[in-house]
């Protein structure tokens, strides 16, 4: 397997090498984030701080920092721009938390429960605007082009996800279009910014963008697999959120296509009609196992992971490339 | 009264002179809007088209067009940038439609009833991103600075409004801060773009920005007065929306300050505790009349209108300046 073969060691892959490499820059990114989410309207830093603090790994800004490092960039601009990437990510998280009347009726609780829909939307708008203010201060129209384009594609992907939600007729192609837009686009943009600030040729920018895009797809495929996996519980997250939301992810697309009429009726009842009984999640997991849907999803994730690694081929071997290779391996290995 | 004295004629002031002057450009703005809200995700043009079509007057993009004209601009950039202004306005309208659980419990219906909260948020994000893509295509960092700053201030104003909502302790100063941010900032930015694309000196940009800011404040003051006025019903809109939402606008701030203990208890019950009976709106209107709160709000609107007119003093007399003068008069005259 390509991904395993490129692993720098026999140990469990982790983000540690990446964090060691860009840790100092990342501290400056975090300081920049706190500085720029300030507002005289106290609820803004309060709510944004809650999300930024809970945001976790800072994977996307670390990709910007590492991509700049891989391109021998020795300036300072990547710090602010990595903060922009995280602001855009945080804004989409906040807007993703918004719930509909129909969701409320199903009793779904989300992170916006404390402050409400409206505050989540408006603070997301603030962070999004701040990201553009930071980019304007940086002064690169090319970076502005990359991130305004990414933002538009992300919004399109989120709307497409909303449209395909609860639709068991969703195809694998349509699913891939959703995750390429809503998730992978920001990974790709985060990576492209590195060579752009370093003034490197378009081929290198394209290569790092392809790395980010394929990594992002692999990342989301694993995420969507994990939602039905016992491993998710080990990671301290709830299992079955997507199922309860009626999200049509690849495991479902595959199990639905491979299922008989009775199984298709089950998926339609639970995901389209949102009529769910207490035992339905366990039954769904059994059907996914029966059809090898989680393994097949992981197989796709490995393919995109391998493409991500291939995209880095033009870059010289060394600690940065090894750390990025290990990010790919880490994203896959989260599954196990 | 300054505003009346500057009126170009004895007729009822209207937007007609402005529309006559910039009508051709506005048709191109509308074509640009339709072109750029296109997306392969059909729900996006569908929902955005609904809002853009319902959006009405196109006052903000017309201000950009007229400001450019006032500065003798003879290029083409103002058309795309006026479309940006309208996209940002539409995005904020969509996000303003988002309702909270608590609102739902009070049974408030909003324009997002057809598609739901989430679609409103995501399509708003798309339009917002598109606006930035259009600005990047235009290529002016100065315009990007103006509109990213305006967007951040608008979001801050909306959050401040949310925080002061239902709070009868809101001061006139705090109310003015909200409307200056959430409404007047975009009027100001729309106007500033004109002299910026025309390459005019900073004093002219500042003057047109001040015109937009003061016009925007006057506009919102009249809007907030109209919500309690019988005139609102004549204009085909519902009366009392702000009252039902518990929004603390200037008429309320003034009536609360001038009211006795019994009246203060009434405002607290209806606006803070949101305990409203069928006759409460009529009682609220009676209290506003008793304390001259609507007249006092209009008096403030006239003051800001006069400041808007003064801001135009550096510009030569002529049809564009007369049309802008009449916009101010129109905004005030809507009240009667």
């Amino acid at each position: 397997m390509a991904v395993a073969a490129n692993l720098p060691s026999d140990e469990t892959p982790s983000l540690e090498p990446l964090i060691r490499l860009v840790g100092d820059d990342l501290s400056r990114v975090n300081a920049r984030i706190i500085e720029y989410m300030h507002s005289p309207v106290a609820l803004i830093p309060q709510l944004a701080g809650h999300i930024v603090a809970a945001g976790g790994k800072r994977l996307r800004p670390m990709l910007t920092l590492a991509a700049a490092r891989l391109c021998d960039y020795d300036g300072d601009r990547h710090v602010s721009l990595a903060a922009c990437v995280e602001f855009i990510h945080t804004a989409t998280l906040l807007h993703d938390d918004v719930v509909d009347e129909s969701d409320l009726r199903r009793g779904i609780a989300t992170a916006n429960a404390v402050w409400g829909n409206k505050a989540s939307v408006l603070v997301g708008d603030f962070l999004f605007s701040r990201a553009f203010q930071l980019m304007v201060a940086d002064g690169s129209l090319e970076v502005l082009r990359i991130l305004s384009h990414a933002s538009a594609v992300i919004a399109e992907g989120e709307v497409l996800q909303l449209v395909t939600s609860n639709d068991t007729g969703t195809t694998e192609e349509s699913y891939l279009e959703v995750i390429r837009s809503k998730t992978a686009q920001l990974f790709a943009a985060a990576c492209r910014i590195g060579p752009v600030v370093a003034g490197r040729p378009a081929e290198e920018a394209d290569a790092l963008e392809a790395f980010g895009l394929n990594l992002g797809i692999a990342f989301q495929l694993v995420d969507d697999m994990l939602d039905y996996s016992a491993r998710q519980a080990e990671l301290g997250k709830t299992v079955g959120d997507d199922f309860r939301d009626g999200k049509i992810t690849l495991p479902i697309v595959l199990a639905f296509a491979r299922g008989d009429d009775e199984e298709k009726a089950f998926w339609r009842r639970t995901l389209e009609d949102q009529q769910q009984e207490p035992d339905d999640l366990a039954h769904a997991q059994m059907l996914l196992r029966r059809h090898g849907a989680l393994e097949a999803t992981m197989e796709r994730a490995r393919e995109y992971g391998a493409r991500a690694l291939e995209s880095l081929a033009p870059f010289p071997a060394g600690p940065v490339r090894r750390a990025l290779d290990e990010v790919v391996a880490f994203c896959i290995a989260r599954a196990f």
Side-chain angles (χ1 to χ4, degrees), chain A:
Chain A
M1 192 131 323
V3 175
N6 279 282
L7 246 184
S9 79
D10 289 338
E11 288 170 31
T12 308
S14 80
L15 294 179
E16 278 310 313
L18 181 66
I19 293 168
R20 271 198 301 277
L21 271 173
V22 303
D24 288 349
D25 280 351
L26 188 61
S27 301
R28 295 166 63 217
V29 171
N30 287 331
R32 203 67 52 100
I33 284 172
I34 290 174
E35 181 186 347
Y36 278 89
M37 73 188 182
H38 178 77
S39 162
V41 182
L43 180 58
I44 290 176
Q46 197 180 340
L47 198 159
H50 178 83
I51 299 285
V52 166
K57 296 185 290 288
R58 299 272 196 280
L59 183 52
R60 294 157 191 81
M62 282 203 290
L63 289 174
T64 299
L65 300 174
R69 183 73 68 99
L70 188 65
C71 295
D72 296 325
Y73 178 64
D74 63 358
D76 199 40
R77 295 170 51 202
H78 61 325
V79 173
S80 275
L81 296 176
C84 289
V85 167
E86 188 67 4
F87 274 158
I88 291 174
H89 174 56
T90 308
T92 63
L93 283 183
L94 279 166
H95 287 186
D96 217 36
D97 269 356
V98 168
V99 289
D100 271 322
E101 296 82 333
S102 55
D103 298 326
L104 286 172
R105 280 196 288 271
R106 293 205 309 278
I108 291 168
T110 66
N112 80 352
V114 187
W115 289 282
N117 271 337
K118 195 124 190 181
S120 293
V121 172
L122 299 175
V123 174
D125 288 348
F126 176 80
L127 293 179
F128 198 61
S129 304
R130 266 288 187 268
F132 279 91
Q133 287 186 288
L134 273 166
M135 285 181 252
V136 170
D138 172 74
S140 161
L141 278 168
E142 180 58 14
V143 169
L144 278 156
R145 193 195 60 74
I146 293 167
L147 284 176
S148 62
H149 173 74
S151 300
V153 172
I154 290 167
E156 276 179 322
E158 296 269 5
V159 176
L160 186 61
Q161 175 172 265
L162 194 66
V163 171
T164 60
S165 203
N166 309 107
D167 178 3
T168 56
T170 304
T171 61
E172 179 168 349
E173 191 188 357
S174 177
Y175 163 81
L176 280 171
E177 180 57 32
V178 167
I179 68 168
R180 185 179 283 121
S181 303
K182 75 160 189 167
T183 306
Q185 195 67 37
L186 192 57
F187 278 73
C191 289
R192 188 176 185 99
I193 290 170
V196 165
V197 295
R200 301 292 283 251
E203 301 79 53
E204 291 187 20
D206 291 347
L208 271 160
E209 180 178 334
F211 168 76
L213 191 77
N214 287 302
L215 173 65
I217 295 172
F219 179 89
Q220 189 62 54
L221 281 161
V222 174
D223 239 35
D224 291 346
M225 188 287 297
L226 277 170
D227 194 68
Y228 290 97
S229 159
R231 171 82 181 129
Q232 180 92 322
E234 292 169 36
L235 296 169
K237 295 182 193 166
T238 49
V239 176
D241 281 347
D242 291 346
F243 182 72
R244 280 181 289 272
D245 285 354
K247 263 191 203 162
I248 311 297
T249 57
L250 188 59
I252 302 298
V253 172
L254 297 174
F256 185 83
R258 296 167 185 186
D260 61 21
D261 285 353
E262 193 187 323
E263 291 173 25
K264 283 189 164 67
F266 167 81
W267 294 119
R268 286 203 187 94
R269 170 174 64 79
T270 53
L271 300 175
E272 288 195 5
D273 307 339
Q274 292 275 294
Q275 301 292 334
Q276 299 188 2
E277 307 290 330
D279 291 340
D280 283 343
L281 177 60
H283 186 68
Q285 289 175 304
M286 186 276 288
L287 293 180
L288 294 170
R289 270 196 303 279
R290 175 185 291 172
H291 295 294
L294 300 190
E295 292 80 351
T297 300
M298 283 309 297
E299 193 49 43
R300 301 284 195 296
R302 285 192 197 87
E303 285 165 24
Y304 284 99
R307 288 189 208 175
L309 291 176
E310 283 162 27
S311 309
L312 291 183
F315 295 94
V320 185
R321 170 121 179 253
R322 271 203 304 280
L324 287 172
D325 283 355
E326 192 160 337
V327 171
V328 178
F330 165 78
C331 283
I332 306 288
R334 284 190 308 150
F336 305 105

